[in-house]
Amino acid sequence: MLFFLIVLTFVQLLLAYIFCRIWLRNRKEENSICILVLGDIGRSPRMQYHAISFAKEKFAVHLIGYPGSTPLQRFSEFPNVKIDYLTPPPDLQNKVTRLFSYVIKVIWQSVNLLAILLGKCHSSHLMLQNPPAIPTIPICWLFCILSNAKFVIDWHNYAYSIMALNLSHTHILVKFAKFIESYFGKKADYNFCVTKSMKNDLKIKWGIEANVLYDRPAERFRPITIEEKHALFLILGEDYKIFQGENDTCTLFTETLSNGEIQMRSDRPALLVSSTSWTEDEDFSILLSALDDYEAACVENDLHLPKLICVITGKGPLKDFYIALIERRNWKNVTVITPWLENEDYPKILGSADLGVCLHTSSSGLDLPMKVVDMFGCGLPVLAFNFQSLHELVQHDENSLIFSNEKELSYELKMWFKNFPNDMEQKAKSSKFKQELEKFRLIGWHGNWSVTALPCFKQ
């Protein structure tokens, strides 16, 4: 009897498997792609850029991810793009153990993801963002086996290295994530990654062949005019009084002349900008220490430093922690604000700034900060924290500057803003950097994507 039940169960599973394969393969649509983000779609720019590029090439695009931030407005231009949202898992923090909460989350995501793929995905290709690897990689691989869709992984980083920031490299979950990435990564039809360093690491470590698809700035990341800067400062002044001028025709940074012309104020402060996801791989205490030193230098006044407005944009788990640290400061010459900017306003603040700062260090050392790509697209030089693969994007003293600790960051900040805005040495360096960044801007996202990625999907 037991043998009969085992055989019957096996036959039922086999029939279900055969039925799913036939059903899914019969409904598959050619020249279509499902793009999966196990995260907030609006905060996943690279995957949104993929979707827009596929839409431009007449693919039917199905974008799946979590709700939250507003996706790019450009999606409204493409009727061939459909967005479906996953249901966020229940918040069990502080209610159960961390491990049990993670298990429940993975089970929830697996069921939810399978349901939406089986019920709504008719695509000939499925591309997923990694990380996270669990449960997306095995679930998507299984779906592709059943539907005969091409399985594509876009490697932004490693899931296991990010998990190790909070756990350890010997933790069972970290080891499991590493196994998932190494085992299923080899089963993908195509792999893309963000740096040559990662391409080499995937090949040497796991035998995975990947194509390097560098992040490039989208069209909306561009240098802006003084008039556009003035309009942005007026809007920001409605929520942040620090941006307001003496009257309705001027701001802290810009002024309107009697003939209606707008110009930058000679007595303006300097504008420093950074963006972050407020996670463990960005240590903002480095910037706060450098700003402490900048404040002290302003008091001494030997370098004739301007007052400094520092805008840090983004959302994330450590935001409240760092805001508390900022509020303890008693700066007189440095002001830090942490607004959340919509997709369409974020490029404008980058285009209005005098200098950008990036504290991204990378859990693997093999990815590149997209925020620097965005800043470069806006013609904004950057102070970037140095790590293994950064040289593939930032060349020190050629297109921007790098630092390795708070002392180096403090020094470069002071040298950049010495005698601001009239220091001739700084102006020459800024002009040199911006010329290099203009060359960088010549190759945009879609042009680079069309050469590197599109041929794989046209085969």
Side-chain angles (χ1 to χ4, degrees):
M1 179 62 73
L2 179 61
F3 176 74
F4 175 75
L5 289 175
I6 293 174
V7 171
L8 180 61
T9 301
F10 175 77
V11 171
Q12 288 174 331
L13 290 174
L14 181 61
L15 289 174
Y17 170 74
I18 293 172
F19 172 77
C20 281
R21 282 176 65 102
I22 295 172
W23 173 56
L24 289 172
R25 295 183 182 205
N26 283 342
R27 72 176 192 178
K28 186 175 69 173
E29 299 173 359
E30 294 303 320
N31 291 324
S32 60
I33 185 163
C34 177
I35 299 176
L36 174 65
V37 178
L38 203 68
D40 184 343
I41 289 177
R43 295 173 64 189
S44 304
R46 181 176 167 101
M47 304 312 283
Q48 293 184 84
Y49 298 165
H50 273 300
I52 290 173
S53 286
F54 278 113
K56 286 182 176 180
E57 300 297 330
K58 309 306 179 184
F59 277 69
V61 180
H62 186 190
L63 185 56
I64 299 174
Y66 284 114
S69 307
T70 305
L72 297 174
Q73 291 182 0
R74 287 213 61 191
F75 284 125
S76 62
E77 302 173 20
F78 301 101
N80 51 331
V81 175
K82 177 179 70 171
I83 299 178
D84 274 314
Y85 290 109
L86 297 165
T87 304
D91 185 4
L92 298 177
Q93 284 187 341
N94 303 321
K95 297 177 183 178
V96 298
T97 64
R98 187 172 184 176
L99 179 60
F100 185 68
S101 173
Y102 181 76
V103 171
I104 295 298
K105 178 182 177 182
V106 169
I107 293 173
W108 178 285
Q109 291 175 328
S110 299
V111 173
N112 190 204
L113 184 54
L114 265 176
I116 202 166
L117 289 176
L118 293 173
K120 297 185 176 183
C121 183
H122 304 167
S123 303
S124 57
H125 299 78
L126 192 157
M127 173 187 283
L128 66 94
Q129 169 185 288
N130 186 71
I134 304 170
T136 47
I137 292 184
I139 293 292
C140 291
W141 170 78
L142 175 61
F143 175 79
C144 289
I145 290 295
L146 293 173
S147 65
N148 199 33
K150 295 293 185 181
F151 181 39
V152 186
I153 301 177
D154 191 28
W155 298 81
H156 298 195
N157 202 342
Y158 295 145
Y160 82 87
S161 67
I162 292 177
M163 294 175 72
L165 292 174
N166 287 320
L167 303 172
S168 69
H169 283 279
T170 58
H171 195 282
I172 186 171
L173 288 179
V174 175
K175 289 183 175 180
F176 183 57
K178 190 172 185 178
F179 166 76
I180 291 293
E181 290 179 298
S182 63
Y183 179 77
F184 288 98
K186 291 191 286 285
K187 294 183 176 296
D189 293 286
Y190 304 108
N191 287 280
F192 296 97
C193 62
V194 293
T195 63
K196 291 179 182 177
S197 299
M198 184 174 284
K199 172 187 172 71
N200 294 336
D201 192 67
L202 285 166
K203 174 65 175 177
I204 294 170
K205 186 162 59 182
W206 295 331
I208 296 173
E209 297 284 354
N211 295 321
V212 178
L213 178 62
Y214 281 122
D215 285 317
R216 307 296 296 190
E219 296 170 1
R220 62 198 180 99
F221 290 96
R222 58 174 178 80
I224 64 174
T225 64
I226 291 179
E227 289 76 15
E228 289 174 299
K229 295 178 184 180
H230 180 69
L232 176 67
F233 293 139
L234 288 174
I235 293 172
L236 290 174
E238 295 175 3
D239 295 319
Y240 301 93
K241 290 184 179 180
I242 188 70
F243 288 98
Q244 294 178 358
E246 298 81 8
N247 55 60
D248 294 340
T249 65
C250 67
T251 71
L252 185 64
F253 296 90
T254 56
E255 59 186 353
T256 305
L257 303 180
S258 58
N259 62 1
E261 181 183 349
I262 296 171
Q263 67 178 17
M264 302 300 293
R265 295 176 61 150
S266 59
D267 61 345
R268 68 185 184 274
L271 182 58
L272 185 71
V273 67
S274 185
S275 61
T276 177
S277 298
W278 298 106
T279 52
E280 290 83 356
D281 62 351
E282 291 180 292
D283 184 2
F284 264 80
S285 64
I286 294 174
L287 177 59
L288 299 187
S289 296
L291 293 178
D292 283 333
D293 195 32
Y294 186 93
E295 170 72 18
C298 285
V299 174
E300 294 173 2
N301 201 34
D302 293 337
L303 299 175
H304 303 287
L305 296 172
K307 289 183 180 295
L308 186 65
I309 309 296
C310 181
V311 176
I312 306 175
T313 72
K315 296 178 181 177
L318 296 179
K319 183 174 182 178
D320 290 341
F321 169 77
Y322 281 110
I323 287 178
L325 293 181
I326 292 168
E327 290 175 347
R328 293 177 196 169
R329 262 61 177 188
N330 191 31
W331 293 323
K332 304 297 182 184
N333 299 283
V334 176
T335 302
V336 177
I337 61 172
T338 57
W340 170 250
L341 298 174
E342 294 298 330
N343 276 324
E344 307 310 314
D345 288 333
Y346 174 57
K348 296 176 184 177
I349 194 68
L350 299 185
S352 301
D354 298 298
L355 186 64
V357 172
C358 175
L359 291 154
H360 179 84
T361 54
S362 175
S363 61
S364 65
L366 301 174
D367 65 341
L368 288 173
M370 196 161 190
K371 67 199 72 177
V372 172
V373 175
D374 296 340
M375 291 174 183
F376 280 8
C378 294
L380 179 64
V382 178
L383 296 177
F385 194 97
N386 193 23
F387 61 92
Q388 179 179 338
S389 60
L390 185 68
H391 67 278
E392 294 187 39
L393 178 62
V394 180
Q395 289 83 49
H396 181 67
D397 218 24
E398 291 296 325
N399 60 12
S400 278
L401 298 168
I402 62 174
F403 62 92
S404 299
N405 52 54
E406 61 266 26
K407 289 185 178 180
E408 291 181 4
L409 174 57
S410 171
Y411 175 79
E412 289 174 352
L413 267 178
K414 290 183 290 187
M415 291 301 100
W416 189 267
F417 291 121
K418 180 182 64 174
N419 297 317
F420 179 87
N422 299 313
D423 187 80
M424 298 307 297
E425 182 180 346
Q426 186 277 334
K427 282 186 175 181
K429 179 174 286 191
S430 178
S431 176
K432 170 190 172 184
F433 289 175
K434 289 185 177 184
Q435 288 178 10
E436 292 300 314
L437 299 186
E438 189 59 33
K439 297 176 185 176
F440 177 85
R441 291 187 63 250
L442 293 177
I443 303 176
W445 166 268
H446 187 70
N448 187 49
W449 180 91
S450 298
V451 172
T452 305
L454 182 60
C456 296
F457 298 90
K458 287 292 189 181
Q459 292 178 8

PDB file of all heavy atoms in Angstrom, residues 103-116:
ATOM      1  N   VAL A 103      12.562  33.176   7.567  1.00  0.00           N
ATOM      2  CA  VAL A 103      11.955  31.990   6.952  1.00  0.00           C
ATOM      3  C   VAL A 103      10.545  32.303   6.473  1.00  0.00           C
ATOM      4  O   VAL A 103      10.161  31.954   5.344  1.00  0.00           O
ATOM      5  CB  VAL A 103      11.952  30.806   7.947  1.00  0.00           C
ATOM      6  CG1 VAL A 103      11.124  29.650   7.397  1.00  0.00           C
ATOM      7  CG2 VAL A 103      13.379  30.345   8.238  1.00  0.00           C
ATOM      8  N   ILE A 104       9.761  32.969   7.321  1.00  0.00           N
ATOM      9  CA  ILE A 104       8.386  33.340   6.944  1.00  0.00           C
ATOM     10  C   ILE A 104       8.403  34.272   5.729  1.00  0.00           C
ATOM     11  O   ILE A 104       7.606  34.130   4.797  1.00  0.00           O
ATOM     12  CB  ILE A 104       7.655  34.008   8.121  1.00  0.00           C
ATOM     13  CG1 ILE A 104       7.476  33.006   9.272  1.00  0.00           C
ATOM     14  CG2 ILE A 104       6.304  34.564   7.681  1.00  0.00           C
ATOM     15  CD1 ILE A 104       6.633  31.805   8.919  1.00  0.00           C
ATOM     16  N   LYS A 105       9.338  35.218   5.738  1.00  0.00           N
ATOM     17  CA  LYS A 105       9.453  36.164   4.623  1.00  0.00           C
ATOM     18  C   LYS A 105       9.757  35.444   3.315  1.00  0.00           C
ATOM     19  O   LYS A 105       9.144  35.722   2.269  1.00  0.00           O
ATOM     20  CB  LYS A 105      10.541  37.185   4.932  1.00  0.00           C
ATOM     21  CG  LYS A 105      10.792  38.192   3.820  1.00  0.00           C
ATOM     22  CD  LYS A 105      11.929  39.133   4.203  1.00  0.00           C
ATOM     23  CE  LYS A 105      12.249  40.097   3.073  1.00  0.00           C
ATOM     24  NZ  LYS A 105      13.396  40.999   3.433  1.00  0.00           N
ATOM     25  N   VAL A 106      10.689  34.485   3.354  1.00  0.00           N
ATOM     26  CA  VAL A 106      11.074  33.749   2.148  1.00  0.00           C
ATOM     27  C   VAL A 106       9.912  32.892   1.643  1.00  0.00           C
ATOM     28  O   VAL A 106       9.654  32.835   0.432  1.00  0.00           O
ATOM     29  CB  VAL A 106      12.317  32.886   2.416  1.00  0.00           C
ATOM     30  CG1 VAL A 106      12.558  31.912   1.265  1.00  0.00           C
ATOM     31  CG2 VAL A 106      13.547  33.764   2.608  1.00  0.00           C
ATOM     32  N   ILE A 107       9.199  32.240   2.546  1.00  0.00           N
ATOM     33  CA  ILE A 107       8.045  31.426   2.139  1.00  0.00           C
ATOM     34  C   ILE A 107       6.980  32.319   1.502  1.00  0.00           C
ATOM     35  O   ILE A 107       6.421  31.991   0.451  1.00  0.00           O
ATOM     36  CB  ILE A 107       7.464  30.662   3.350  1.00  0.00           C
ATOM     37  CG1 ILE A 107       8.465  29.610   3.841  1.00  0.00           C
ATOM     38  CG2 ILE A 107       6.136  30.010   2.984  1.00  0.00           C
ATOM     39  CD1 ILE A 107       8.052  28.920   5.120  1.00  0.00           C
ATOM     40  N   TRP A 108       6.713  33.451   2.123  1.00  0.00           N
ATOM     41  CA  TRP A 108       5.719  34.401   1.591  1.00  0.00           C
ATOM     42  C   TRP A 108       6.132  34.857   0.189  1.00  0.00           C
ATOM     43  O   TRP A 108       5.314  34.855  -0.739  1.00  0.00           O
ATOM     44  CB  TRP A 108       5.611  35.600   2.530  1.00  0.00           C
ATOM     45  CG  TRP A 108       4.657  36.671   2.075  1.00  0.00           C
ATOM     46  CD1 TRP A 108       4.855  37.589   1.079  1.00  0.00           C
ATOM     47  CD2 TRP A 108       3.336  36.925   2.577  1.00  0.00           C
ATOM     48  NE1 TRP A 108       3.767  38.400   0.932  1.00  0.00           N
ATOM     49  CE2 TRP A 108       2.811  38.019   1.845  1.00  0.00           C
ATOM     50  CE3 TRP A 108       2.565  36.357   3.579  1.00  0.00           C
ATOM     51  CZ2 TRP A 108       1.554  38.537   2.095  1.00  0.00           C
ATOM     52  CZ3 TRP A 108       1.302  36.876   3.824  1.00  0.00           C
ATOM     53  CH2 TRP A 108       0.806  37.957   3.091  1.00  0.00           C
ATOM     54  N   GLN A 109       7.372  35.263   0.049  1.00  0.00           N
ATOM     55  CA  GLN A 109       7.846  35.752  -1.248  1.00  0.00           C
ATOM     56  C   GLN A 109       7.810  34.657  -2.301  1.00  0.00           C
ATOM     57  O   GLN A 109       7.469  34.926  -3.463  1.00  0.00           O
ATOM     58  CB  GLN A 109       9.263  36.309  -1.100  1.00  0.00           C
ATOM     59  CG  GLN A 109       9.346  37.597  -0.300  1.00  0.00           C
ATOM     60  CD  GLN A 109      10.777  38.050  -0.080  1.00  0.00           C
ATOM     61  OE1 GLN A 109      11.696  37.227   0.031  1.00  0.00           O
ATOM     62  NE2 GLN A 109      10.991  39.352  -0.019  1.00  0.00           N
ATOM     63  N   SER A 110       8.141  33.428  -1.925  1.00  0.00           N
ATOM     64  CA  SER A 110       8.146  32.316  -2.877  1.00  0.00           C
ATOM     65  C   SER A 110       6.751  32.053  -3.422  1.00  0.00           C
ATOM     66  O   SER A 110       6.555  31.921  -4.637  1.00  0.00           O
ATOM     67  CB  SER A 110       8.693  31.046  -2.205  1.00  0.00           C
ATOM     68  OG  SER A 110      10.012  31.233  -1.760  1.00  0.00           O
ATOM     69  N   VAL A 111       5.778  31.981  -2.525  1.00  0.00           N
ATOM     70  CA  VAL A 111       4.402  31.718  -2.941  1.00  0.00           C
ATOM     71  C   VAL A 111       3.872  32.870  -3.786  1.00  0.00           C
ATOM     72  O   VAL A 111       3.267  32.667  -4.852  1.00  0.00           O
ATOM     73  CB  VAL A 111       3.500  31.485  -1.713  1.00  0.00           C
ATOM     74  CG1 VAL A 111       2.035  31.377  -2.131  1.00  0.00           C
ATOM     75  CG2 VAL A 111       3.933  30.227  -0.964  1.00  0.00           C
ATOM     76  N   ASN A 112       4.113  34.094  -3.326  1.00  0.00           N
ATOM     77  CA  ASN A 112       3.639  35.277  -4.035  1.00  0.00           C
ATOM     78  C   ASN A 112       4.269  35.383  -5.422  1.00  0.00           C
ATOM     79  O   ASN A 112       3.590  35.660  -6.431  1.00  0.00           O
ATOM     80  CB  ASN A 112       3.965  36.516  -3.201  1.00  0.00           C
ATOM     81  CG  ASN A 112       3.315  37.796  -3.703  1.00  0.00           C
ATOM     82  OD1 ASN A 112       3.791  38.895  -3.445  1.00  0.00           O
ATOM     83  ND2 ASN A 112       2.225  37.681  -4.433  1.00  0.00           N
ATOM     84  N   LEU A 113       5.568  35.119  -5.485  1.00  0.00           N
ATOM     85  CA  LEU A 113       6.288  35.216  -6.758  1.00  0.00           C
ATOM     86  C   LEU A 113       5.849  34.133  -7.738  1.00  0.00           C
ATOM     87  O   LEU A 113       5.604  34.409  -8.926  1.00  0.00           O
ATOM     88  CB  LEU A 113       7.788  35.128  -6.491  1.00  0.00           C
ATOM     89  CG  LEU A 113       8.735  35.297  -7.680  1.00  0.00           C
ATOM     90  CD1 LEU A 113       8.447  36.583  -8.419  1.00  0.00           C
ATOM     91  CD2 LEU A 113      10.182  35.266  -7.186  1.00  0.00           C
ATOM     92  N   LEU A 114       5.722  32.906  -7.249  1.00  0.00           N
ATOM     93  CA  LEU A 114       5.257  31.821  -8.115  1.00  0.00           C
ATOM     94  C   LEU A 114       3.859  32.088  -8.636  1.00  0.00           C
ATOM     95  O   LEU A 114       3.552  31.846  -9.816  1.00  0.00           O
ATOM     96  CB  LEU A 114       5.281  30.497  -7.348  1.00  0.00           C
ATOM     97  CG  LEU A 114       6.527  29.628  -7.500  1.00  0.00           C
ATOM     98  CD1 LEU A 114       6.436  28.412  -6.605  1.00  0.00           C
ATOM     99  CD2 LEU A 114       6.748  29.224  -8.960  1.00  0.00           C
ATOM    100  N   ALA A 115       2.995  32.604  -7.783  1.00  0.00           N
ATOM    101  CA  ALA A 115       1.613  32.871  -8.178  1.00  0.00           C
ATOM    102  C   ALA A 115       1.552  33.892  -9.309  1.00  0.00           C
ATOM    103  O   ALA A 115       0.815  33.716 -10.288  1.00  0.00           O
ATOM    104  CB  ALA A 115       0.808  33.344  -6.974  1.00  0.00           C
ATOM    105  N   ILE A 116       2.350  34.968  -9.185  1.00  0.00           N
ATOM    106  CA  ILE A 116       2.274  36.019 -10.203  1.00  0.00           C
ATOM    107  C   ILE A 116       2.969  35.585 -11.489  1.00  0.00           C
ATOM    108  O   ILE A 116       2.528  35.941 -12.596  1.00  0.00           O
ATOM    109  CB  ILE A 116       2.854  37.340  -9.664  1.00  0.00           C
ATOM    110  CG1 ILE A 116       2.302  38.537 -10.457  1.00  0.00           C
ATOM    111  CG2 ILE A 116       4.359  37.355  -9.671  1.00  0.00           C
ATOM    112  CD1 ILE A 116       2.548  39.872  -9.801  1.00  0.00           C
TER     113      ILE A 116
END
